[in-house]
Amino acid sequence: MKKNIILIGFMGVGKGTTARAYAKKYATFIVDTDDLIESKENRKIKTIFKEDGEKYFRDCEQQCADWIESSVDNSFISCGGGFYNVSNLKKLGTVILLDASYDWIFNRLSTAENSKSKLKKRPLFSEPKKAKKLYSEREEAYKKVADLVINVESKSLKMIIKEIHKNVYI
Ligand code: S3P
């Protein structure tokens, strides 16, 4: 069994922030699946969606998962919101879901200091109505694949990373 932490959850729930805080405290290596895809493609996620569509992006996510399976261990992997759907997710490490209600996430994103750019870089968050629908479609599926669910709504970053650390090997 791989010793990676696989952090999943809906867009804007705070996966990147959590990964950075965890890496700082516990000196782990972070891999961000969106960053990997952007580097390999040499273009932004929103450009990939615009030029080649969502299906192409999902294929990139699967390739990224295959690479992690063959080559990455002992790392903290922060995943894009749709990455939970790759076929080999459970082989990649311990899957941890950051969970919160849609309203909490929407509020977090829209009150963030750089809220405009946070929303703009996420093509599937361009229309809140559609994003809310996507959230309800995925809510149960996220929970099904997770080894551990952490509700983040009333927790500090410090509490969240402690809870992750208690439950994993790295
Ligand atoms: C997506 C989430 C995004 C990014 C892409 C698709 C999704 O990542 O991978 O825009 O399907 O939920 P974040 O969860 O980091 O925003």
Side-chain angles (χ1 to χ4, degrees):
M1 171 72 182
K2 279 190 180 288
K3 295 190 177 99
N4 293 313
I5 297 169
I6 309 295
L7 195 64
I8 63 165
F10 201 67
M11 294 172 273
V13 75
K15 290 163 292 180
T17 308
T18 304
R20 286 187 291 277
Y22 190 94
K24 195 169 172 203
K25 168 105 178 137
Y26 300 109
T28 53
F29 186 68
I30 316 180
V31 176
D32 181 298
T33 61
D34 284 345
D35 287 351
L36 279 177
I37 292 169
E38 286 188 342
S39 313
K40 183 184 162 277
E41 290 285 316
N42 197 22
R43 50 190 176 149
K44 295 283 179 201
I45 304 282
K46 71 168 190 237
T47 313
I48 301 175
F49 268 75
K50 204 162 116 199
E51 291 177 353
D52 288 309
E54 181 172 347
K55 162 83 177 68
Y56 180 87
F57 176 73
R58 299 302 172 201
D59 291 343
C60 294
E61 288 191 311
Q62 185 60 58
Q63 279 173 27
C64 181
D66 294 343
W67 177 74
I68 292 168
E69 185 181 348
S70 67
S71 314
V72 182
D73 207 355
N74 300 302
S75 298
F76 193 115
I77 309 200
S78 173
C79 303
F83 194 86
Y84 75 101
N85 235 346
V86 296
S87 61
N88 49 349
L89 185 81
K90 301 292 279 183
K91 291 189 189 155
L92 306 183
T94 305
V95 180
I96 300 183
L97 169 66
L98 292 191
D99 187 39
S101 68
Y102 176 80
D103 290 344
W104 185 92
I105 291 172
F106 186 72
N107 187 53
R108 177 179 183 270
L109 277 182
S110 43
T111 55
E113 208 175 283
N114 45 351
S115 122
K116 255 198 184 148
S117 80
K118 278 187 180 279
L119 289 169
K120 221 172 126 194
K121 73 171 192 183
R122 295 180 160 102
L124 298 179
F125 226 119
S126 57
E127 290 173 56
K129 237 188 173 172
K130 280 194 186 161
K132 191 168 185 173
K133 186 166 171 273
L134 189 63
Y135 176 94
S136 11
E137 284 164 10
R138 285 183 181 170
E139 208 178 353
E140 283 315 306
Y142 280 140
K143 289 187 179 139
K144 241 189 191 160
V145 292
D147 297 307
L148 174 71
V149 179
I150 301 180
N151 186 291
V152 296
E153 282 188 28
S154 53
K155 289 189 184 123
S156 67
L157 201 48
K158 207 171 159 190
M159 286 158 83
I160 297 167
I161 61 173
K162 235 183 173 176
E163 193 169 338
I164 295 175
H165 194 63
K166 242 180 26 202
N167 284 282
V168 295
Y169 308 94
I170 60 168

